[in-house]
Structures are given as structure tokens and as C-alpha cells.
Amino acid sequence: MKLKFLALSMALSSSVLLSACNSNDDTTSAPQRSEWSVPSNQSSNPSAINSWYNAGVDAVAEAKNAWQADTRSALSNAQGRAKNIILFVGDGMGMSTVTAARILEGQMQNPDGGEEHKLSFENFPFTGLAKTYNTDAQTPDSAGTMTAMMSGVKSFAGGISIADTASRGDCASADGKALTTALDLAKMAGMKAGIVSTARLTHATPAATYAKLPERNWENDTQVAEGCVDIAKQMIDYSVGGGIDVMLGGGLRNFTSSEHGGRRLDQDLTEVWQAANPNGSYVNNRDQFITVNPNSSDKLLGLFNSSHMDYEADRVKYGEDSEPSLAEMTEKAIEMMQNNEQGFFLMVEAGRIDHAHHGGNAQRALKDALALSDAVAKADQLTNDEDTLIIVTADHSHVFTIAGYPRRGNPILGLVENQDGSLQMAGDDKPYTTVGYTNGPGAANTFANGQRVSLNSTTVQALDFQQQASVPMSSETHAGEDVPVYAKGPASSLVRGTMEQNEIFHIMNFAGNLVTRADAMQ
């Protein structure tokens, strides 16, 4: 049976590729440092200027070389050249989060700087912007955005890989409207597939890789509408290509029965999975996880928390309640799948960036963004640019801001300081923080008797501090601006300019030739 798949056209036409790559005969390279001289109007202080100037020269040279290498191969053989595809999603990791996380990590290494630092994926050669709106929402939710990235089709807020002609929460309306995802295609094509998340594996972002439902909140059988199958059961029962090979994250309660501390009424799905996978490994903490041998286990299911996994700042590393880091889970997933001749598809989500932002807690959000950067670095280390496409992006952003005029090296989580180190004062003659939120729970602690509460440096840099906010809300909200997309590997040059978010799927499909390969296997 041939696949019936409606593929949206690639934004980059063959004619554009031809013209862009028609520079094969151009042997002129970008000038190197030795060919440049400091402009005469800056020569009075060359020691202060040369490092910036020379770094800029090198960056241009590196960018040109990377572009030429990728676009030349894109013209000739990039389609289908990606044996492996890894999609990293920083849930809620908008541009301000990337910037603040970059500075935080830089300041952890150099307390007097930070701004010049780069996260691992910021060194990737190709970058673009993705428009995140859902078909029914200007500011999106994670279900609709991940549906776009995984299926190539924009859809409605709250729906999990279901076409937007269905209605949210209406089981009958979704009949026959399930969308084929990149994970589905990978399994049809004989690839291995894995999902890793610090959120519940039944949460919107990971769920959109494998489940098909008109309501993201139907995570277990006590929540789902009659006539539909809940998300947890869809994950365990997933049978395409022999099932999902690696599943690591939180959400144990949606898979276990009430007698085992869970929420299910029908059966314990962890027992079902273990019975169906006698050569697989099922683990619940880091101590168990690190003992899993990829050479003797053909599948891996890890459920490390009843709900979401802990924030990186709170993670326990040893003992019964220990949890692996995002980098450790990424490494194990790759080790479990990398020997498959047909390659693998892996989706990795840093899900708790989003949750910390919703709680108005910048420090936890930024540290989870750093955990994502570590995971990307590990994946990059374990794979080859020649056959592995890595894309790093976000599903949406948050109303998280970097404000004021802080001095260079000002602690990113601290109060705004002037160039001389004195505190900058707001119009109410009180200090304020560099990072903050437009709305959220922090507003409840921002004002007392009609006056903004005064702050001190110790309080604002505490782990539990909620940044001040203007509009009181129990949960801080998403934001609607475009999010960054970073890419390296086969066909990564297709990430460019401002894209619709659903184009990410089409880039992965082009790089891995997923539809054609899946079709050929049917």
C-alpha cells in the first residue's frame, strides 16, 4: 500500500539552489586575518580592537566555507544524505532565553564577562527564524507548534498531530484526520526512533511525535473522551516499524495503575511494555539507567518521575530518586540506535524551560536551557556532520525580557548596575532586575500597598526568586515572536531567513528522504 501523504512544497526551489550553488568555479575565498589591516581611524588602540576585528574576519571566512560546502552538496546529493536526524526542542526557548542563558554560562566561566560567550548550538553554521502561530492562535501552544514541526502541517492549538479541520476536544471530529509524523516515516523506512524529554512523555511536545488526538490533555485513560485512545496507551501500543526504540522522560503516573501510585484504571502499561519487549530495559532512576548496556538491550523505556522530571537546578544525581541529565539521556539514546544501518530519528526536548518561565522563575529556566546546550554538544560529539542533520529550535517563546542599561558583565540574574557599579534606579527610586516578565505570578510579590517592593542583590539571585512582573497572572504566558532555528549537517543550509515553522519537517524530510524511503518499504 503506497503512502498517501500530502507534502507541502519546499520553500527553496531548485532554481534558487542552482543559482546559489553556481559558484563552484569561484575559487576566491574570504580574506584571512593576514590580509586585513586595522582601519586608520582605529589604529590608535590596536590591542583593544584587533581581537574583535580579527574574530569578525574569521567568522566571515568560516561562514562562507560552511555555506559553500553545504550548498554544493545540496545541489548534488544532499537529498537523502542524512542517515540520522536529531531534532532538539527547547520548549519556550525564545531568543531572550538563548541570550540570557548564553550570558549566564559565560559568567559562570568568567564573572567579569559573559556576553561574548556562545552556547553549543550557536556555533552551528546555519540559522533562521520560525513563525510559531497556530492556525487558530496568534500566540501558540506547544501541541500546535510541535504538530507543525513533526508533520509539516500547521494545525490548531491543543491538537496532537491532527489536521485543523478537526475540533479541539471532539473525538469524533478527528476521525480520519491523523497526520503522518517524521517519527512515523522514520519507522516506516526502517530507521530506529527515540524520544527524550524532561517533561512527561505524554506532554504535548513529545506526544506530537507519535500520538494522534484532538486534545493534548488526554494523557491517560481517566482523562480521554470515549471513542479515543489516551496518549500513554498510544505510546506503548505504537507498532509502526516494531515500535519506538527509546523513550526517556517523566510521566510515570500516566502509565501505571492506582495500586502502583499511578492514575490508570485499565492496566499497568509498564508491565505491558516489559512483556512485549523481553530484551528491553525498563528503568526508573539514574542508578538503573547508567547500567543499561546498549549492546544487550534492544529497546529502552525510562520513566524517572511521576510527573515532569526535576529542573536541572534541583536534579538528584545518585540514589533511588536520582534522574539522568538531558545530555546523559541523549547520549544513551544515540548509543542505543547508532548501529542501525538505516539510521535513526531522535527528538530531544528540554521541556522544563517552559515550566520555569510559566512560574516566573528565570534562574531555573536558564539552567535548563544550559542543560539543552550540553545535550546538543554531546549529540554533536557522537555523530558525524556528513550523515547527521541536527536542528535546534524552540516551539514558542515567553514574555521574558532583558531590560535596562546594565554594565558589561552585570550579573544576568542580578540588579541593573551602572558603569561605575552603582545601582540604576527606576522612576520610583528603587533598583530593578535585568531580566523580568511582562506578566506572571511574580506580579503578586511586586507590589505592596500600591508601591513596588524594593529588591536587593541577594534576594534576586536566589534560586526560588520570581522576577517582578507588571500584569498579575497565576501562570506567565507564551509570547508570539519568531524563534531561532540552528542547523548543521546534510541540507542544513535550507534553514535560512524567516520560515513557517512547519518547514522544519520538510527540511528533515528532504535531508532524510523520509517519504520516499517509507513509501518504498510499504
Side-chain angles (χ1 to χ4, degrees):
M1 183 78 180
K2 294 294 183 183
L3 283 175
K4 301 295 184 182
F5 189 84
L6 179 61
L8 301 184
S9 61
M10 294 297 293
L12 195 59
S13 68
S14 59
S15 61
V16 173
L17 275 174
L18 284 168
S19 62
C21 297
N22 201 27
S23 59
N24 283 354
D25 296 330
D26 179 11
T27 59
T28 303
S29 62
Q32 299 299 304
R33 287 182 178 178
S34 60
E35 301 172 16
W36 291 81
S37 60
V38 177
S40 59
N41 65 341
Q42 297 181 347
S43 60
S44 61
N45 188 17
S47 62
I49 296 163
N50 285 349
S51 61
W52 294 106
Y53 198 86
N54 291 337
V57 172
D58 288 348
V60 170
E62 291 169 7
K64 181 176 180 181
N65 291 337
W67 184 87
Q68 287 180 330
D70 194 79
T71 51
R72 285 174 182 171
S73 63
L75 179 62
S76 58
N77 64 351
Q79 184 167 9
R81 191 160 59 89
K83 176 183 177 182
N84 311 310
I85 299 171
I86 307 177
L87 174 64
F88 285 94
V89 180
D91 198 317
M93 190 180 71
M95 198 64 244
S96 57
T97 300
V98 172
T99 303
R102 171 204 307 152
I103 295 173
L104 176 61
E105 185 170 69
Q107 291 178 341
M108 290 164 64
Q109 298 173 6
N110 173 20
D112 295 323
E115 294 82 0
E116 71 289 343
H117 185 66
K118 282 187 177 182
L119 300 177
S120 63
F121 49 83
E122 292 186 286
N123 292 301
F124 284 13
F126 298 100
T127 306
L129 295 170
K131 296 188 286 184
T132 63
Y133 65 91
N134 300 144
T135 55
D136 62 346
Q138 188 175 77
T139 296
D141 92 319
S142 296
T145 54
M146 193 59 176
T147 294
M149 287 189 277
M150 287 303 300
S151 72
V153 177
K154 286 225 175 197
S155 195
F156 59 94
I160 300 291
S161 294
I162 291 289
D164 75 341
T165 50
S167 300
R168 181 169 184 176
D170 185 339
C171 185
S173 74
D175 187 37
K177 296 173 183 175
L179 298 171
T180 304
T181 70
L183 185 144
D184 294 332
L185 293 169
K187 292 303 298 180
M188 291 177 191
M191 300 169 71
K192 288 195 173 184
I195 51 176
V196 172
S197 178
T198 51
R200 297 191 296 269
L201 288 178
T202 51
H203 212 237
T205 300
T209 65
Y210 62 85
K212 331 284 181 184
L213 279 174
E215 175 52 65
R216 60 177 288 175
N217 293 317
W218 292 348
E219 296 187 50
N220 60 62
D221 63 340
T222 66
Q223 300 169 312
V224 69
E226 184 177 356
C228 278
V229 179
D230 66 86
I231 295 172
K233 186 167 177 56
Q234 286 195 43
M235 189 183 95
I236 297 300
D237 289 349
Y238 188 95
S239 60
V240 180
I244 305 171
D245 301 279
V246 179
M247 299 168 283
L248 301 171
L252 178 62
R253 69 190 188 194
N254 292 319
F255 297 89
T256 54
S257 58
S258 56
E259 63 187 76
H260 295 145
R263 295 186 174 184
R264 298 201 68 81
L265 298 177
D266 56 356
Q267 58 188 330
D268 190 310
L269 295 179
T270 64
E271 295 177 353
V272 172
W273 186 88
Q274 291 177 84
N277 297 279
N279 294 322
S281 294
Y282 170 59
V283 296
N284 291 127
N285 60 46
R286 182 178 179 273
D287 288 357
Q288 298 169 352
F289 169 83
I290 61 177
T291 67
V292 174
N293 185 346
N295 296 320
S296 57
S297 294
D298 58 8
K299 290 190 178 179
L300 175 58
L301 171 62
L303 297 169
F304 303 107
N305 202 304
S306 176
S307 184
H308 304 299
M309 293 180 68
D310 290 335
Y311 293 110
E312 178 60 23
D314 305 314
R315 183 171 63 87
V316 176
K317 299 177 177 62
Y318 305 99
E320 184 177 351
D321 296 327
S322 62
E323 297 181 357
S325 69
L326 193 61
E328 290 173 332
M329 292 191 289
T330 299
E331 179 178 16
K332 186 75 76 174
I334 293 173
E335 290 174 345
M336 291 286 298
M337 301 188 293
Q338 64 186 355
N339 292 328
N340 184 39
E341 291 184 1
Q342 300 303 315
F344 64 82
F345 173 85
L346 174 62
M347 190 288 297
V348 180
E349 181 205 21
R352 306 230 62 194
I353 300 171
D354 176 73
H355 303 156
H357 277 321
H358 280 308
N361 182 214
Q363 185 167 168
R364 283 189 172 89
L366 299 184
K367 288 184 175 178
D368 270 54
L370 298 185
L372 175 68
S373 179
D374 291 342
V376 173
K378 178 57 68 174
D380 193 20
Q381 174 191 338
L382 295 173
T383 57
N384 190 320
D385 289 353
E386 292 299 313
D387 66 4
T388 303
L389 171 66
I390 301 179
I391 295 178
V392 182
T393 189
D395 47 356
H396 56 76
S397 64
H398 277 265
V399 292
F400 174 66
T401 62
I402 304 173
Y405 299 97
R407 62 174 177 81
R408 174 81 182 277
N410 199 113
I412 191 63
L413 293 169
L415 298 171
V416 176
E417 298 176 4
N418 294 305
Q419 298 298 322
D420 62 3
S422 62
L423 292 177
Q424 284 188 24
M425 297 297 169
D428 57 4
D429 291 326
K430 295 175 182 177
Y432 60 98
T433 56
T434 301
V435 297
Y437 296 93
T438 302
N439 58 46
N445 302 317
T446 300
F447 300 96
N449 300 318
Q451 300 292 319
R452 189 169 66 92
V453 174
S454 189
L455 301 170
N456 62 67
S457 296
T458 301
T459 298
V460 301
Q461 297 190 65
L463 180 60
D464 292 329
F465 178 70
Q466 290 177 311
Q467 274 68 28
Q468 293 186 329
S470 300
V471 180
M473 299 189 76
S474 59
S475 176
E476 177 266 2
T477 69
H478 296 173
E481 72 267 15
D482 301 346
V483 295
V485 186
Y486 309 88
K488 70 180 308 188
S492 55
S493 61
L494 297 178
V495 172
R496 78 279 171 242
T498 301
M499 309 179 294
E500 293 288 356
Q501 195 166 44
N502 58 294
E503 289 181 45
I504 291 172
F505 164 86
H506 295 281
I507 293 170
M508 295 190 296
N509 176 46
F510 179 87
N513 208 18
L514 298 178
V515 171
T516 300
R517 290 172 60 192
D519 194 24
M521 295 287 285
Q522 304 311 300

